[in-house]
Amino acid sequence: MLKRINSTLCAILITILVTSCGSKSEKTVEEAPSLRNSYAIDFLIGTALNSGQIDEQDSIQSALIAKEFNCYTAENIMKSMHIHPAKDTFNFEAPDKLFALAEKNGAKVHGHTLIWHSQLSRFFYEIKDSTEMVSAMTDHINTIAGRYAGKLISWDVVNEAVEGDGSLRKSVFLDVLGEDYLALSFKLAAVADPEADLYYNDYSMTGEAKRNGVIRMVKKIQESGAKIDGIGMQGHWHLNSPTLAEIETSILEYAALGVKVAITELDIDVLPNPKNVEGADISQRAEISAQNNPYTNGLPDSVSVALAKRYEDIFALFLKHKNVISRVTFWGVNDGDSWKNNFPAAGRTNYPLVFDRDNKGKKAYESLLALKALKE
Ligand code: XIL
């Protein structure tokens, strides 16, 4: 009898323990602070993913990606040289995996990028005739944007078409079609995917001359009757530049065009700038030197603190303008993955993101969570 009571008690106790443990651990998961949860009511928190991350090669990093970000951009695999390497060849295997991963993790996908002079498929360079160019662009945009229509939220339709002085950048598209190629790109994208938000995306978007050039260009696209929904400011920034005032003026001036603003490729370079390379023109190269690569053995605490403050300041600004900001995407997951280790000088040790090389949140990460906790 006693034995039976004992075993019944034991069973009840185990049930209580299991249930409470179960609910406790579920609660812990639900309530674990993350960027995507903390900023859920403000804007999407995105990241750029490389092929290894899309293939989920590192389980610790995969868990971090699922936990922290709710929007993915392909860092490279949806650029024309990869997705459309030859006139009649399209590679959809890797992008399809990105969409599957996003679905699994309850994340959105932003498309990067349809028309860009860099990482451009070779065959575009050979086109000299306007009819042929229109037909190549139509095929490119229809096939790619058409395939993912209804599955992604937005596209960088045109990337980096404006120079620092505000003039239109020389490219094969401008050479063959003149500036009409811009409105044409947006018109084609709207037909291929009527639901997606269509963005113009660029770096150095806070400089006055370039900003005025972008605004002129966007107005012309709007006047042509084409749909343009947003402007992407890449956000490849430094510890002290651009200033918060320059960022704020730019957000407001772009939003005044009646479009959304996204911060699309955010990273903060903490290294001395070789050759004063300000923007993110990937064709610019510089030599690595001891002077421009000072933190090979770790980031000094003072710089970590400065980086955390910089992230906190710019996110405070983004929160102030959250009514016009749709998304803030980091260009990479952790410091080890960042392209900033190789741009503009190859082989440096940079620390531009909020997760370190071991996927641990840095002071900058803590400051972004604390900023939201403070505002609640
Ligand atoms: C970069 C990638 O991060 C690198 O891996 C690649 O080698 C070069 O391109 N502006 C853009 C991005 O729009 O596509 C670029 O990404 C960075 C600058």
Side-chain angles (χ1 to χ4, degrees):
M1 179 67 174
L2 203 65
K3 216 171 154 195
R4 252 218 327 268
I5 293 174
N6 270 348
S7 61
T8 317
L9 268 177
C10 218
I12 294 171
L13 215 78
I14 288 171
T15 317
I16 293 171
L17 272 177
V18 167
T19 336
S20 66
C21 278
S23 61
K24 187 159 182 276
S25 71
E26 264 166 41
K27 216 170 158 209
T28 316
V29 169
E30 264 171 34
E31 288 182 359
S34 69
L35 294 174
R36 74 179 270 178
N37 287 345
S38 300
Y39 288 85
I41 57 163
D42 306 308
F43 33 71
L44 290 167
I45 297 284
T47 188
L49 298 182
N50 62 33
S51 331
Q53 290 159 339
I54 293 168
D55 281 340
E56 296 190 89
Q57 283 169 2
D58 173 341
S59 59
I60 293 179
Q61 207 180 43
S62 298
L64 180 80
I65 291 164
K67 172 173 172 264
E68 298 291 343
F69 304 103
N70 52 15
C71 187
Y72 305 153
T73 306
E75 184 176 5
N76 285 300
I77 56 151
M78 290 175 77
K79 294 171 179 173
S80 73
M81 68 183 278
H82 296 290
I83 201 170
H84 189 184
K87 198 167 185 302
D88 298 315
T89 312
F90 289 89
N91 287 333
F92 289 128
E93 203 184 321
D96 285 355
K97 279 191 197 162
L98 172 71
F99 282 86
L101 181 67
E103 196 176 339
K104 183 172 98 177
N105 291 345
K108 317 265 186 213
V109 175
H110 167 76
H112 177 73
T113 172
L114 292 169
I115 298 294
W116 186 28
H117 69 281
S118 272
Q119 294 181 280
L120 176 64
S121 194
R122 297 309 315 169
F123 74 89
F124 274 110
Y125 291 103
E126 283 146 30
I127 302 175
K128 306 277 178 252
D129 170 76
S130 61
T131 315
E132 206 187 320
M133 182 58 94
V134 171
S135 121
M137 284 174 62
T138 307
D139 181 45
H140 180 72
I141 293 178
N142 260 344
T143 311
I144 300 166
R147 180 178 182 93
Y148 298 113
K151 293 191 178 145
L152 49 64
I153 53 162
S154 47
W155 269 109
D156 289 332
V157 176
V158 176
N159 199 32
E160 302 179 356
V162 178
E163 295 279 10
D165 65 1
S167 62
L168 289 182
R169 178 190 295 280
K170 285 222 157 301
S171 71
V172 66
F173 304 108
L174 187 70
D175 281 353
V176 178
L177 293 180
E179 64 182 291
D180 288 351
Y181 91 86
L182 295 158
L184 174 69
S185 304
F186 280 87
K187 285 179 182 164
L188 290 171
V191 172
D193 186 349
E195 301 293 311
D197 275 349
L198 307 180
Y199 278 73
Y200 173 72
N201 190 53
D202 210 331
Y203 61 81
S204 296
M205 293 285 274
T206 51
E208 195 180 349
K210 178 148 180 173
R211 185 170 65 228
N212 290 338
V214 169
I215 291 172
R216 265 197 311 276
M217 180 195 74
V218 169
K219 280 187 174 157
K220 280 195 183 169
I221 294 173
Q222 290 172 325
E223 281 156 16
S224 80
K227 177 176 100 93
I228 175 164
D229 304 287
I231 293 186
M233 300 170 64
Q234 288 183 5
H236 296 295
W237 291 332
H238 300 260
L239 276 178
N240 299 308
S241 72
T243 64
L244 293 175
E246 286 166 332
I247 299 173
E248 182 165 42
T249 303
S250 306
I251 292 171
L252 292 174
E253 289 199 13
Y254 294 135
L257 292 164
V259 298
K260 299 173 191 174
V261 176
I263 312 300
T264 56
E265 304 183 11
L266 182 60
D267 46 29
I268 306 291
D269 194 330
V270 300
L271 298 182
N273 191 351
K275 292 208 299 200
N276 278 333
V277 173
E278 264 310 319
D281 175 350
I282 65 171
S283 67
Q284 280 191 290
R285 306 304 313 164
E287 285 302 311
I288 182 174
S289 69
Q291 194 274 327
N292 69 36
N293 189 29
Y295 308 134
T296 50
N297 293 323
L299 195 62
D301 208 45
S302 59
V303 188
S304 295
V305 169
L307 181 70
K309 173 80 171 57
R310 175 73 163 153
Y311 266 112
E312 185 182 329
D313 289 347
I314 60 179
F315 267 73
L317 191 61
F318 298 159
L319 285 174
K320 182 174 170 197
H321 297 294
K322 63 183 183 181
N323 58 325
V324 296
I325 294 182
S326 52
R327 169 172 63 95
V328 177
T329 288
F330 293 88
W331 204 241
V333 177
N334 81 25
D335 284 342
D337 313 314
S338 169
W339 79 302
K340 279 292 188 164
N341 294 301
N342 294 307
F343 177 84
R348 296 194 300 168
T349 308
N350 212 334
Y351 302 82
L353 298 168
V354 299
F355 295 101
D356 70 15
R357 286 169 167 75
D358 295 321
N359 296 305
K360 297 270 176 327
K362 294 157 57 175
K363 283 196 174 70
Y365 172 71
E366 297 302 332
S367 76
L368 295 187
L369 294 184
L371 177 68
K372 267 305 290 188
L374 266 178
K375 301 244 172 205
E376 265 152 21

